[in-house]
Amino acid sequence: MDCIFCKIIDGSIPSRKIYEDKFTYAFLDIADDVDGHTLVVPKKHIRDIFDLDKLTSEHLLTAVKMISQHYVEKCGYDGVNILHASGEAAGQTVFHFHFHIIPRKTDDNINCWTNFPGRKKTLDEMLEVLKIN
């Protein structure tokens, strides 16, 4: 398999590991975008949220929460953004499930929110399309 995250997990590509347990691996993103940008990935290859099993999701979310708390309680950050994209249409570029943790400080002038173009349908129309019966 030619997955960059699998190669990072198995050590064939070096990384700056933040945390590791039996199910998860967390490391600093090499993008020069935000200090502390961290990726949290399952150790087993899972393409996206649609392939994510319950056990792995529980361990991943536990790790994301623990790392986020560590950044706020021990590292001087005031909060975090947790980002994820599943599927090419959503902007996923590495097809190994992952969360981004973006450590935040008050007034850091980082904007993690997209400027959306605005809704085209009414809330009632969307309710009919999206509700789970």
Side-chain angles (χ1 to χ4, degrees), residues 75-114:
C75 301
Y77 288 96
D78 301 313
V80 298
N81 285 106
I82 309 297
L83 307 173
H84 169 75
S86 269
E88 192 172 340
Q92 184 178 8
T93 57
V94 177
F95 293 92
H96 184 123
F97 185 87
H98 58 286
F99 287 111
H100 299 256
I101 301 175
I102 309 298
R104 300 296 305 274
K105 291 196 177 210
T106 303
D107 299 323
D108 60 15
N109 294 316
I110 297 168
N111 182 5
C112 287
W113 297 103
T114 300

Side-chain angles (χ1 to χ4, degrees), residues 4-47:
I4 191 168
F5 289 172
C6 287
K7 291 177 181 178
I8 288 170
I9 293 162
D10 75 15
S12 58
I13 294 177
S15 68
R16 289 171 176 85
K17 179 174 63 174
I18 296 293
Y19 173 78
E20 179 179 16
D21 64 28
K22 182 177 176 182
F23 294 91
T24 60
Y25 192 87
F27 57 98
L28 292 175
D29 192 314
I30 62 170
D32 290 329
D33 53 5
V34 177
D35 289 343
H37 182 168
T38 303
L39 299 174
V40 184
V41 304
K43 284 189 169 178
K44 73 177 179 178
H45 185 82
I46 296 172
R47 180 179 170 86

